[in-house]
Amino acid sequence: MLRTVSASAICVLILSGCFSNSSANAESPDFENEVLLVLTKAGCNSGACHGAAVGRGGFRLSLYGQNPDADWIEITRSLGGRRIDTVRPENSLLLRKAGEFIEHGGGQRLIEGDHDWRTVANWIARGGLRQQNLDRPKLTGIVINPSRATVSKVGEQLQIEVSAQFADGKQQPLTELAILQPQDADAIQLENESGLLKLRRPGRHVLLARVRDLVATCEIIVPTKAALADNHYQVHAPHADASQLSGSSLIDRHIDQRLTELGLESAGRADDATLLRRLYLDLTGQLPPVDRIREFVWDKNEHKVDDLIEELSNSEQAITKWTHWLATELQMQTVVRQDADNTRATAIFSRLRLFVENQQPMTELFSQMVEAEGSLVNNPNVGFYLLANDGRKQAEQFAELFMGVQLACANCHNHPLDRWTQDDYHGLAAIFAGIRRGESISWKPGATNMHPATGSAATMQLPDGRTLKGDQDPRPILADWIKGPGEAQINRAWLNRIWSELFGSGLVNPVDDLRASNPATHSELFDNIAEDWKANGGGIMWMVRQIVSTDAYQRASINVRSELTPEQNLSVAAYGVRKPKPLRPEILLDIYSQATDVWNPIGSYPAGTRAISVLSANQADRRAKTENACTMGSCEADLADTLSGKLSMIAGPIINDRIAAPNGRVSQWIADENRNEDQLIESIYLHLFSRFPTRQETEQWTEVLSQVDNRHDAIEDIVWSMLTSSQFVLNN
Amino acid sequence: MEYAYQFPVCAEQLIMLNQSLQKVVGSDARVGRRELLRIGSLAGLGLSLPTLFANSAPAATKAKTVFQKVARSCILIWLDGGPSHIDTFDPKPNAAREVRGPFNAIQTRLPGIEISELFPELACRMDQVSLVRSVTSPLGEHNLGAQYMLTGYQPSPVLAYPPLISVLSEKMQQQASLSLPHSIAVPNFDVGGGIINGHGFLPASTAPFSLNADPATADFKVNHLALPDSLTANRLRRRAEFRQLLQSNTQRDPLMEQAFSVLSSSEAEQAFDLTREPQQIRSRYGPRTIGQSCLLARRLIEAGVRLVTVVQHGWDTHADLITRLKDGYTGAKVPVGLGPSLDQALSALIDDLIDKDLYEETCIVVMGEFGRTPKWNPAGGRDHWPRVFSVLFAGGPFKRGMVYGASDAQGESPDQDAVTPADLAHTIYTAMGIDSEASLSTPDGRTVRLANERAKVIEQLLTYH
């Protein structure tokens, strides 16, 4: 509805100065800027109704009005033009169906005589034209005002306003025409159609507004307690001072600000031994060596954590761990099937390792992958092309892996919640259509990808919309796009993946679903740190170092097995306290080997190989649940928080065989008669839990050992109980 | 193309009936559908033998539920990928060929009710089951559609709703056997694209136990159900005690506790041992995964497991319906595709449960995430279609020989009595004697009703005393 919302005490300033009341105007309502908005709000062009790819009941509209030209033809010209009657608009089939004066499967969508009805009727009465006035600026976007707000407490109301943004820069309020969708309907209650909200739960909430095919979001912070009693709500200005910061202090600045807004306190730093283990596992995929634990815990140097981060992040083991992480994120395990002598796996791993070691930006790797030709062994960059069988799947892989975007929707219709159109999808698929797969990857001109909407070959198109003509090889141009216009998106996608690896969840979740309608939990942090990463060279290890150096990363963990209070949950989500994080299956397998000093062969790699230092097809096969696969480093399901995981821990070989191995550490503990019980228990704790036992723990196990008749079995059983406990299997 | 089926006696009679009907009753002169529905449901009523299971009667809060029969066990047969409603339980023999598809409709034991020719055995048992032909959902993507069907709630980015099978597990824990897993998924719970965790916001211990093993393979074995030789029962007990010493008193690990109790008896190992079934019984269920999974489901129900989820993969048939749904592979002499193998498995399961007096106390629900497009596509398949599709109910308190709701002539939309996935969940909870209006608490302090507030029980499907 094109009228201003009356300004109230709680109403936000409206930027609009171009308001006009068009329905009283002699000028016709605009089809694209007004009529389609009404039809979208009424649900006519939703995916469940006429917006379905095949339409409904013989009437087919584009999803959410994404294609105004096609919709205009469908409404005014198809069916012999019977859908509109310009002489007697109320006799138009469009209105008679929508008002349910005749049978309509979708029921009544418009009420005769109300504003929305009149918009459509007036448009029909004035000829049902596609464009009345060619000078009329196009509707290019919508904004919610405010786009961020903090209310003072649960139960407060907030008035928001949705405005249209036109090509000439003007804005106009249209809250009533927007579909308002709270991400969490328990938290944001819509009080009326005019954008009055009531906040019902503490936390950070998102409201999504949709007008035609345009979406905007509003982020609302509701503190746990009345943290901001002085004014009713705050509209946030960008943090000017934060932009002066860099790296870890920039991250902490944003996180602390959010904690303050939410009225949450944060946990202190984790104790030395926990932090040492956490950093070793995250940076190198290993447990800290026992000597290192003693050294670190007794070290009085106040910079010892920073020094440790510096040392570990420059280590060979860190390069290996993050190479394995990168290969897994790029799904490279899937391209090394039938690789009996591991040459393919080794080639890929070495290539990626060099990339991580050289601190190159992601765009460097991806542009090389796009231009790669030849065999996998000679040029491991072609691994990207072995992930897919055709151009369309390749386009989806490109979007998901490189850009963190779910493109598959756009195969059949424009993405309903994002800017990706069918032209984008099939244009990108056309770029990859010429790829020839086999033993060797090559490109041949002339191959095309059929665009399902036109039935003919899709025009090659870069993700930014530029089309490519003729028979030229599109790959160098796509590589340039990656290093140029595409860089920001790629960096954000990969920053999010690194963040998720270190914190257990991304700034955007799911990590490969970046879009305007799925905003980051800390959007300014996300923007600023992505810029910062680029300015600092864009290497993976730089970003890893910044994140692990933050206070947020180094905080103490909550107890994972006890039930959390709602406030604790909020605090975990806001990084005020850490939640223990499951380990990657390969790392878990490795630390079982390390703790017990029993190294079994990993696939066809020799005994002593760390699972994280190689690629194995079985690692990709998360559903291969056989014992064999598991010993090859794919134990996710077998040791996860499932009944089969627990059965495997109790009765399976992964832990039991390592405990019983005659040459393993446990056998040595049992055989060594020179140690007293205190020393034995200390050694067990240092090797398994990477910390010293408490006085109480030492006494408890000494007591246990003094009472058993079979010391051998008892030590095995103690070790088993420790290896299966959350202190061991999680990164705390 | 004609296919030679191994028709059972009943099916032969039905074929003759089909042929004679086609002669006598032209498509114009058919008996009205409503009339037939009425006849069908009356016939069904005469066959059902309501009994009340005293030991599983719910702590009913409403007068209505006191009189309603409830089941004590539930088998969910999940057709992963989304089965075509037209090629299974809602054929459109009078529609144009592009809608009708490659398969004929056949008469069933319920006069006037036809299903696809892929289900001749089931056709003989239509008087034992109920169909809902008017299920409708707005979600046409696998993961989203599967979540809605499995949980009764449309998925939300802020809250992972638990599948109803996990809610039942949570609510029925006291009744569950200690030495068997409470809820079991055969061969696995990789549904809706494989990223549904199986328990939502409920504890991981309510998720179905995924066997991750195919009962149709010769060496079928569920891993780690027996202790290694070195591990005596005493040591097992001690390991459990040592774990307790490591955790503080507030910490519990219900999954580990379940694992310990499963391993402390051989009951589970025996229940999973399909070689204890006579070969003749095994072949009655068919050699495919779905067949042996249904047989295993029956064994588990017999052993006292309350919740079994059987997953048949492969229903995402975007291409080549004839091979995928009927033949199973190109040039098959005996069709072994998804349809015939499900037909055989489900029919054997129904027969056995009736034989063993378990049918009255066991609900069977057969469904997938959505239906498929009424018009088949150029690849000879059908695409996603959530607007209307069918669900089959059997056993327990579900009516015998009932067809509820209908789709329109083209199989495009519900024509009457539209049913949402939320209504289905509400109905299943009610059939299991669980109060759907009870609430669950989420870890972040919300209260969530078992069934969506707007959901309605399909009372016509249930038997009352």
Side-chain angles (χ1 to χ4, degrees):
Chain A
M1 186 171 292
L2 301 180
R3 61 177 174 80
T4 46
V5 173
S6 63
S8 69
I10 57 166
C11 182
V12 182
L13 275 179
I14 297 151
L15 302 173
S16 165
C18 69
F19 144 76
S20 72
N21 192 337
S22 66
S23 52
N25 202 311
E27 194 186 341
S28 165
D30 187 74
F31 178 70
E32 189 173 335
N33 290 359
E34 294 172 55
V35 174
L36 282 184
L37 273 52
V38 168
L39 298 183
T40 305
K41 169 94 186 196
C44 308
N45 53 19
S46 72
C49 290
H50 303 289
V54 292
R56 185 161 189 182
F59 181 38
R60 179 183 171 194
L61 295 172
S62 64
L63 188 64
Y64 302 130
Q66 290 165 338
N67 189 343
D69 290 329
D71 291 345
W72 181 75
I73 287 171
E74 183 75 3
I75 291 172
T76 62
R77 296 287 183 271
S78 300
L79 206 71
R82 283 197 294 129
R83 290 201 171 100
I84 62 166
D85 180 341
T86 54
V87 182
R88 296 180 58 195
E90 67 278 10
N91 275 359
S92 300
L93 188 60
L94 185 69
L95 284 171
R96 286 177 60 75
K97 281 276 190 183
E100 212 185 6
F101 293 102
I102 51 176
E103 193 198 341
H104 182 219
Q108 186 180 13
R109 310 309 303 184
L110 293 176
I111 297 159
E112 184 177 17
D114 84 351
H115 178 275
D116 289 353
W117 171 283
R118 289 202 312 274
T119 301
V120 180
N122 286 340
W123 169 71
I124 295 172
R126 284 165 177 76
L129 300 179
R130 172 70 181 87
Q131 266 174 318
Q132 174 99 21
N133 178 353
L134 289 174
D135 298 336
R136 197 141 189 196
K138 269 186 181 297
L139 177 56
T140 54
I142 58 166
V143 288
I144 306 184
N145 283 313
S147 62
R148 292 194 70 220
T150 303
V151 301
S152 63
K153 60 176 189 293
V154 168
E156 291 293 314
Q157 289 183 324
L158 175 69
Q159 176 70 50
I160 59 107
E161 184 176 71
V162 183
S163 299
Q165 205 157 31
F166 293 96
D168 60 0
K170 288 184 175 151
Q171 289 195 356
Q172 193 169 38
L174 38 55
T175 309
E176 276 86 353
L177 276 175
I179 301 168
L180 299 179
Q181 291 171 323
Q183 216 175 52
D184 181 351
D186 288 341
I188 302 178
Q189 181 178 312
L190 304 178
E191 299 278 84
N192 60 24
E193 292 265 292
S194 312
L196 184 62
L197 317 174
K198 186 171 183 181
L199 285 311
R200 304 200 308 171
R201 287 176 60 83
R204 167 205 170 260
H205 308 299
V206 172
L207 177 76
L208 185 70
R210 176 205 299 288
V211 172
R212 210 184 64 199
D213 56 336
L214 306 166
V215 291
T217 59
C218 168
E219 179 180 66
I220 304 163
I221 308 287
V222 187
T224 49
K225 32 190 178 280
L228 300 158
D230 49 338
N231 50 6
H232 191 83
Y233 70 87
Q234 272 190 345
V235 178
H236 296 288
H239 306 299
D241 54 340
S243 63
Q244 307 300 315
L245 301 172
S246 171
S248 54
S249 42
L250 171 70
I251 297 171
D252 275 326
R253 171 77 179 71
H254 282 289
I255 286 178
D256 291 347
Q257 158 122 8
R258 173 61 54 80
L259 288 165
T260 309
E261 288 165 7
L262 286 168
L264 292 169
E265 285 166 13
S266 51
R269 192 154 96 174
D271 64 77
D272 282 346
T274 303
L275 196 52
L276 180 71
R277 185 180 189 265
R278 185 186 295 168
L279 284 165
Y280 257 92
L281 284 171
D282 274 345
L283 291 176
T284 71
Q286 294 178 323
L287 295 170
V290 166
D291 290 347
R292 195 61 204 266
I293 302 168
R294 297 177 199 276
E295 200 182 294
F296 187 76
V297 170
W298 292 333
D299 190 351
K300 294 276 183 277
N301 177 1
E302 62 181 81
H303 300 299
K304 65 180 179 180
V305 176
D306 294 337
D307 294 348
L308 177 73
I309 291 171
E310 195 56 32
E311 178 201 323
L312 291 183
S313 58
N314 288 319
S315 67
E316 289 289 308
Q317 288 90 337
I319 306 296
T320 301
K321 190 260 174 173
W322 287 89
T323 301
H324 190 275
W325 167 83
L326 175 62
T328 307
E329 295 294 313
L330 288 172
Q331 301 176 10
M332 284 297 129
Q333 279 94 343
T334 58
V335 305
V336 297
R337 290 178 202 283
Q338 289 144 18
D339 183 27
D341 55 359
N342 302 320
T343 46
R344 290 156 69 91
T346 308
I348 294 176
F349 203 91
S350 309
R351 161 70 194 113
L352 294 179
R353 197 173 198 291
L354 196 64
F355 166 77
V356 175
E357 198 169 9
N358 288 345
Q359 299 288 325
Q360 289 169 305
M362 305 311 300
T363 48
E364 186 61 35
L365 176 65
F366 298 157
S367 57
Q368 289 182 24
M369 286 184 151
V370 159
E371 290 196 90
E373 284 192 348
S375 74
L376 188 69
V377 173
N378 292 329
N379 183 0
N381 287 330
V382 301
F384 168 64
Y385 285 121
L386 299 175
L387 287 170
N389 293 323
D390 60 28
R392 293 184 184 185
K393 280 279 169 266
Q394 196 78 62
E396 290 177 20
Q397 296 279 17
F398 180 91
E400 183 185 336
L401 298 182
F402 293 178
M403 299 162 66
V405 165
Q406 296 291 320
L407 200 60
C409 299
N411 184 348
C412 312
H413 53 72
N414 295 355
H415 195 299
L417 291 170
D418 208 345
R419 67 174 186 81
W420 306 107
T421 65
Q422 252 185 308
D423 290 348
D424 287 311
Y425 180 102
H426 293 285
L428 187 56
I431 288 180
F432 294 121
I435 298 298
R436 292 283 164 274
R437 295 173 182 79
E439 266 313 291
S440 180
I441 296 288
S442 59
W443 182 84
K444 283 207 183 97
T448 57
N449 167 50
M450 195 262 283
H451 193 312
T454 60
S456 50
T459 309
M460 290 192 281
Q461 185 176 318
L462 294 169
D464 61 10
R466 278 182 294 148
T467 55
L468 307 179
K469 297 274 182 314
D471 267 355
Q472 61 180 328
D473 182 351
R475 295 174 300 161
I477 303 168
L478 184 60
D480 286 345
W481 178 85
I482 288 173
K483 286 193 271 192
E487 184 184 18
Q489 172 79 27
I490 290 168
N491 280 345
R492 287 165 72 86
W494 282 82
L495 160 60
N496 196 43
R497 286 191 163 101
I498 297 171
W499 187 279
S500 174
E501 168 70 4
L502 291 167
F503 276 111
S505 64
L507 288 163
V508 176
N509 291 299
V511 288
D512 52 5
D513 194 9
L514 271 57
R515 55 186 151 84
S517 48
N518 185 26
T521 58
H522 295 68
S523 43
E524 283 171 53
L525 160 59
F526 196 26
D527 296 345
N528 293 352
I529 194 71
E531 283 289 311
D532 197 24
W533 191 23
K534 181 187 169 184
N536 283 282
I540 291 173
M541 294 314 294
W542 182 87
M543 182 51 79
V544 170
R545 215 157 41 233
Q546 300 312 312
I547 294 176
V548 300
S549 299
T550 59
D551 294 343
Y553 173 87
Q554 295 178 7
R555 283 184 183 124
S557 287
I558 44 158
N559 182 344
V560 72
R561 286 268 169 233
S562 53
E563 207 148 288
L564 301 189
T565 63
E567 193 161 315
Q568 282 175 319
N569 268 299
L570 218 51
S571 194
V572 167
Y575 306 104
V577 61
R578 255 182 100 81
K579 190 177 176 185
K581 172 172 75 105
L583 295 167
R584 287 178 171 258
E586 294 82 10
I587 295 180
L588 187 56
L589 186 67
D590 277 346
I591 67 170
Y592 275 128
S593 304
Q594 191 187 349
T596 56
D597 201 22
V598 177
W599 298 86
N600 293 331
I602 303 289
S604 48
Y605 294 94
T609 307
R610 295 165 63 206
I612 208 168
S613 68
V614 295
L615 291 184
S616 151
N618 292 71
Q619 292 172 351
D621 198 353
R622 299 292 189 208
R623 293 182 191 180
K625 308 289 168 51
T626 63
E627 202 60 47
N628 190 32
C630 196
T631 54
M632 292 164 80
S634 165
C635 309
E636 188 167 52
D638 282 82
L639 293 169
D641 220 8
T642 60
L643 186 56
S644 51
K646 304 293 181 185
L647 290 170
S648 163
M649 281 184 169
I650 301 173
I654 296 173
I655 299 174
N656 285 324
D657 286 3
R658 282 181 168 75
I659 292 175
N663 299 323
R665 181 167 286 126
V666 183
S667 299
Q668 283 171 26
W669 278 327
I670 292 167
D672 187 354
E673 289 173 357
N674 294 327
R675 263 187 249 251
N676 64 30
E677 303 295 48
D678 282 12
Q679 289 167 328
L680 170 69
I681 291 159
E682 183 179 289
S683 181
I684 293 177
Y685 267 75
L686 284 169
H687 279 100
L688 305 194
F689 285 175
S690 305
R691 66 172 172 88
F692 290 96
T694 63
R695 181 87 248 135
Q696 198 198 352
E697 284 165 336
T698 308
E699 282 167 7
Q700 170 192 299
W701 293 120
T702 308
E703 170 89 14
V704 165
L705 286 172
S706 71
Q707 288 171 357
V708 295
D709 40 10
N710 184 336
R711 192 163 180 276
H712 174 284
D713 288 357
I715 292 175
E716 283 192 2
D717 292 349
I718 293 171
V719 170
W720 180 90
S721 65
M722 290 175 71
L723 287 177
T724 59
S725 73
S726 56
Q727 286 193 62
F728 188 85
V729 301
L730 298 174
N731 190 354
N732 288 282
Chain B
M1 262 187 279
E2 284 298 317
Y3 292 86
Y5 272 104
Q6 304 285 311
F7 285 117
V9 176
C10 154
E12 279 170 16
Q13 289 168 352
L14 284 173
I15 290 165
M16 287 163 61
L17 179 66
N18 274 311
Q19 287 161 349
S20 59
L21 265 180
Q22 271 156 19
K23 279 177 209 147
V24 179
V25 191
S27 58
D28 297 338
R30 293 194 167 209
V31 186
R33 185 178 48 196
R34 273 177 187 282
E35 183 65 11
L36 287 171
L37 282 176
R38 198 180 56 79
I39 297 168
S41 56
L42 284 180
L45 274 179
L47 287 164
S48 63
L49 296 165
T51 31
L52 182 69
F53 302 98
N55 58 348
S56 59
T61 52
K62 291 194 300 180
K64 186 178 70 186
T65 49
V66 173
F67 298 101
Q68 176 226 314
K69 292 203 324 177
V70 295
R72 39 188 278 148
S73 313
C74 181
I75 301 174
L76 168 65
I77 300 180
W78 178 259
L79 309 182
D80 194 57
S84 156
H85 50 298
I86 289 177
D87 304 312
T88 56
F89 307 135
D90 193 10
K92 299 292 172 190
N94 298 326
R97 178 164 163 74
E98 58 185 11
V99 169
R100 199 166 68 227
F103 309 118
N104 294 319
I106 54 169
Q107 273 297 338
T108 68
R109 191 156 244 174
L110 293 184
I113 300 299
E114 296 177 328
I115 60 173
S116 161
E117 63 168 317
L118 302 178
F119 295 87
E121 297 270 2
L122 193 63
C124 301
R125 293 162 181 82
M126 278 308 288
D127 53 355
Q128 291 295 343
V129 305
S130 321
L131 284 178
V132 177
R133 282 175 165 171
S134 52
V135 184
T136 182
S137 153
L139 303 174
E141 188 276 326
H142 293 290
N143 186 263
L144 302 178
Q147 286 192 55
Y148 193 14
M149 286 298 282
L150 287 166
T151 68
Y153 279 92
Q154 291 206 38
S156 145
V158 292
L159 191 60
Y161 291 100
L164 60 94
I165 209 82
S166 316
V167 176
L168 290 173
S169 173
E170 168 89 358
K171 291 284 169 191
M172 294 164 64
Q173 239 159 48
Q174 279 83 7
Q175 303 172 30
S177 153
L178 285 177
S179 46
L180 290 163
H182 307 158
S183 170
I184 295 172
V186 192
N188 55 39
F189 200 70
D190 293 341
V191 298
I195 49 172
I196 292 173
N197 72 7
H199 56 83
F201 61 72
L202 289 176
S205 54
T206 62
F209 169 43
S210 252
L211 299 190
N212 299 321
D214 181 355
T217 53
D219 55 351
F220 167 66
K221 180 176 167 288
V222 179
N223 279 334
H224 316 314
L225 284 180
L227 292 174
D229 294 339
S230 59
L231 213 51
T232 60
N234 276 341
R235 287 190 70 185
L236 187 67
R237 203 171 311 121
R238 186 163 69 191
R239 288 187 171 189
E241 283 165 19
F242 285 176
R243 270 179 61 87
Q244 282 300 308
L245 286 177
L246 282 171
Q247 323 264 18
S248 70
N249 289 336
T250 53
Q251 295 176 321
R252 276 198 61 212
D253 189 347
L255 269 175
M256 198 54 127
E257 288 163 24
Q258 220 186 109
F260 274 118
S261 51
V262 166
L263 279 166
S264 52
S265 94
S266 58
E267 244 181 277
E269 204 185 4
Q270 287 168 22
F272 285 114
D273 187 357
L274 280 180
T275 61
R276 289 165 185 257
E277 291 287 332
Q279 194 51 48
Q280 176 230 344
I281 304 257
R282 294 196 68 169
S283 32
R284 223 159 32 77
Y285 280 81
R288 293 282 160 140
T289 304
I290 178 66
Q292 297 304 300
S293 298
C294 282
L295 173 58
L296 184 60
R298 194 216 73 206
R299 280 186 67 81
L300 293 170
I301 295 288
E302 273 183 290
V305 176
R306 296 302 177 82
L307 303 164
V308 181
T309 306
V310 172
V311 177
Q312 188 182 22
H313 292 283
W315 285 92
D316 192 20
T317 50
H318 286 283
D320 204 2
L321 292 176
I322 294 173
T323 309
R324 302 284 299 279
L325 293 185
K326 188 172 187 175
D327 291 349
Y329 57 93
T330 314
K333 295 263 186 323
V334 177
V336 288
L338 292 164
S341 55
L342 173 63
D343 183 46
Q344 195 178 359
L346 181 58
S347 302
L349 178 65
I350 292 171
D351 290 354
D352 272 8
L353 289 176
I354 293 173
D355 272 0
K356 292 173 183 288
D357 282 337
L358 290 167
Y359 196 57
E360 299 292 328
E361 61 184 68
T362 308
C363 283
I364 303 174
V365 181
V366 185
M367 64 187 192
E369 55 262 49
F370 36 62
R372 305 200 77 85
T373 38
K375 287 181 191 168
W376 49 330
N377 64 29
R382 299 186 193 261
D383 305 316
H384 304 179
W385 191 262
R387 198 180 296 158
V388 72
F389 54 106
S390 304
V391 168
L392 184 145
F393 291 98
F398 293 110
K399 290 254 175 72
R400 314 286 187 248
M402 166 97 182
V403 176
Y404 182 83
S407 63
D408 60 20
Q410 306 300 314
E412 271 188 0
S413 306
D415 189 43
Q416 52 191 22
D417 300 325
V419 165
T420 67
D423 299 337
L424 295 178
H426 200 345
T427 307
I428 296 167
Y429 287 132
T430 309
M432 294 298 291
I434 304 291
D435 179 7
S436 308
E437 284 164 28
S439 295
L440 299 164
S441 311
T442 71
D444 59 352
R446 299 160 202 259
T447 314
V448 176
R449 276 170 43 129
L450 262 56
N452 191 320
E453 277 173 27
R454 289 180 299 278
K456 297 184 294 288
V457 178
I458 314 170
E459 300 193 353
Q460 293 90 328
L461 272 181
L462 299 170
T463 313
Y464 297 87
H465 292 288

